[in-house]
Amino acid sequence: MTQHENAALKIWRAHFDAWTSKDMDTAMTYIADDIVCDAPAGRLDGAAAYRNFLEPFSRILTGVKPFASFGDEKTAVGIYEAQTFPVPHAPGAECVTVVDGKITHSRFIFDRTPFDAARRSQG
Amino acid sequence: MTQHENAALKIWRAHFDAWTSKDMDTAMTYIADDIVCDAPAGRLDGAAAYRNFLEPFSRILTGVKPFASFGDEKTAVGIYEAQTFPVPHAPGAECVTVVDGKITHSRFIFDRTPFDAARRSQG
């Protein structure tokens, strides 16, 4: 994994390590109350909406394979494969803005298609 | 846009600027003959398969809004919004490996769902 240490990246990685370990309480300590999150299905406003989005995903996670992460003082990006119960190989990307040690904006990019297909096949 | 200049990032950006300007001949000068590309629909082997994947996408592009890009000597990542004819706001991520000035591995991450929906609505 390609890594570059700095302020925003450290926050992103601490948050990533927590939620991918299913420790959502710790993960949320890095999230600003008024976070704006742009997810594939649309925009989520506020920490509660963010947690409602991410916690169910963390529950179906069986593993994670980081590919690359970079950042500077304000912005961090991470590229990884999420391994989940319905979809064994789900590449994902995150791009976050960090202000005063908290993630104030987050963008999640992943393909919903295999998750929708898995849901349909489960009825 | 957050930018960090270095070897892999310069190659990625030159390739990105070319294909998003619909100049596929220039874009392909940065691609290794034996590139492996992991796209949402699966793995593509070789430059011809890569071009067959990217060129149709470049044709429907109406604009692009870069969010962040980072890289080091070997790896670069780019996060952006692709604006396309069927899908006006399509966030995307790329993570590339560069060897001797050519992209040898590329990973594209984007949500196929809105593109599939647009195709279905067009019949």
Side-chain angles (χ1 to χ4, degrees):
Chain A
M1 183 180 182
T2 303
Q3 297 187 335
H4 295 257
E5 290 302 336
N6 54 50
L9 185 55
K10 281 181 185 166
I11 297 294
W12 175 78
R13 184 169 299 123
H15 173 258
F16 182 77
D17 289 346
W19 79 257
T20 58
S21 305
K22 305 176 195 289
D23 181 356
M24 284 302 298
D25 288 340
T26 298
M28 293 305 295
T29 64
Y30 301 102
I31 299 299
D33 290 343
D34 59 350
I35 185 174
V36 172
C37 175
D38 287 309
R43 177 161 283 192
L44 305 166
D45 283 303
Y50 180 83
R51 184 168 184 151
N52 285 343
F53 159 70
L54 195 57
E55 190 156 23
F57 189 70
S58 80
R59 285 204 201 103
I60 62 169
L61 209 65
T62 58
V64 68
K65 185 176 171 186
F67 292 133
S69 60
F70 290 92
D72 57 21
E73 287 307 298
K74 191 182 157 196
T75 304
V77 301
I79 312 278
Y80 52 84
E81 177 183 272
Q83 297 153 348
T84 75
F85 172 63
V87 180
H89 306 286
E94 293 177 42
C95 180
V96 300
T97 304
V98 173
V99 177
D100 295 336
K102 303 272 190 180
I103 296 173
T104 58
H105 181 267
S106 174
R107 184 178 300 280
F108 276 85
I109 303 173
F110 62 89
D111 184 14
R112 285 180 291 170
T113 303
F115 291 95
D116 290 345
R119 246 191 307 271
R120 279 197 304 274
S121 74
Q122 287 163 9
Chain B
M1 183 178 183
T2 302
Q3 297 187 333
H4 295 256
E5 290 302 337
N6 55 51
L9 185 54
K10 281 181 185 167
I11 297 295
W12 175 78
R13 184 168 299 122
H15 174 258
F16 181 78
D17 288 347
W19 79 258
T20 58
S21 305
K22 304 175 196 287
D23 181 357
M24 284 302 298
D25 288 340
T26 299
M28 293 306 294
T29 64
Y30 302 102
I31 299 299
D33 290 343
D34 59 351
I35 185 174
V36 173
C37 175
D38 287 308
R43 176 160 285 192
L44 305 166
D45 283 301
Y50 180 83
R51 183 168 185 152
N52 285 344
F53 160 70
L54 195 57
E55 190 155 24
F57 189 70
S58 79
R59 286 203 201 104
I60 63 170
L61 208 64
T62 58
V64 68
K65 185 177 170 184
F67 293 132
S69 60
F70 291 93
D72 57 20
E73 287 306 297
K74 192 182 158 195
T75 305
V77 301
I79 312 277
Y80 52 85
E81 177 182 274
Q83 297 154 347
T84 75
F85 172 63
V87 180
H89 307 287
E94 291 177 43
C95 181
V96 300
T97 304
V98 173
V99 177
D100 295 335
K102 303 272 190 179
I103 296 173
T104 58
H105 182 267
S106 174
R107 184 179 300 279
F108 275 85
I109 303 173
F110 62 90
D111 185 14
R112 284 180 290 170
T113 303
F115 291 95
D116 291 343
R119 245 191 307 271
R120 279 198 303 275
S121 75
Q122 287 163 9

